[in-house]
Amino acid sequence: QVHLVESGGGLVEPGGSLRLSCAVSGTLVSIYAMGWYRQAPGKQRELVARISSGGTTSYADSVKGRFTISRDNAKNTVYLQMNSLKPEDTAVYFCNRPTAPGFPWGQGTQVTVSS
């Protein structure tokens, strides 16, 4: 059984930074493309960043130039570095495969951007 555990969220002021982590157990993250999603209150979950098994990255327009996805295969962990955070980045952030079939969803980590 694959488990995803997201961490690193918190309360940050606009313009601040956070680094999210997604620890993966039950499989080798190196063989999969992985992504970071977010879900704001009252909105659908959206994919904001993805990284292929080969390391190619892509981003939603809303976060391009501010967020960076990376992976550490030795630690079986995927990261999301978030810089220049805006209030509209406030959401619960999740990791998972960017295409179906996905893994069981983790609990996510809350990111709140507010002064």
Side-chain angles (χ1 to χ4, degrees), residues 2-90:
V2 176
H3 291 280
L4 306 173
V5 179
E6 300 91 348
S7 62
L11 173 64
V12 63
E13 293 186 346
S17 299
L18 284 173
R19 188 196 195 202
L20 307 184
S21 299
C22 171
V24 182
S25 61
T27 191
L28 293 176
V29 71
S30 59
I31 63 176
Y32 294 103
M34 291 293 293
W36 279 96
Y37 297 76
R38 67 185 181 188
Q39 186 166 21
K43 295 188 177 181
Q44 288 192 329
R45 192 172 295 177
E46 61 170 339
L47 179 66
V48 297
R50 60 186 294 169
I51 184 168
S52 72
S53 58
T56 301
T57 59
S58 62
Y59 301 91
D61 287 344
S62 57
V63 307
K64 198 173 296 183
R66 300 187 298 120
F67 290 11
T68 302
I69 187 171
S70 61
R71 67 200 303 158
D72 185 331
N73 292 335
K75 295 183 178 180
N76 226 33
T77 299
V78 182
Y79 301 98
L80 186 69
Q81 178 67 44
M82 304 187 298
N83 299 328
S84 302
L85 282 161
K86 304 176 181 180
E88 52 263 43
D89 295 318
T90 295

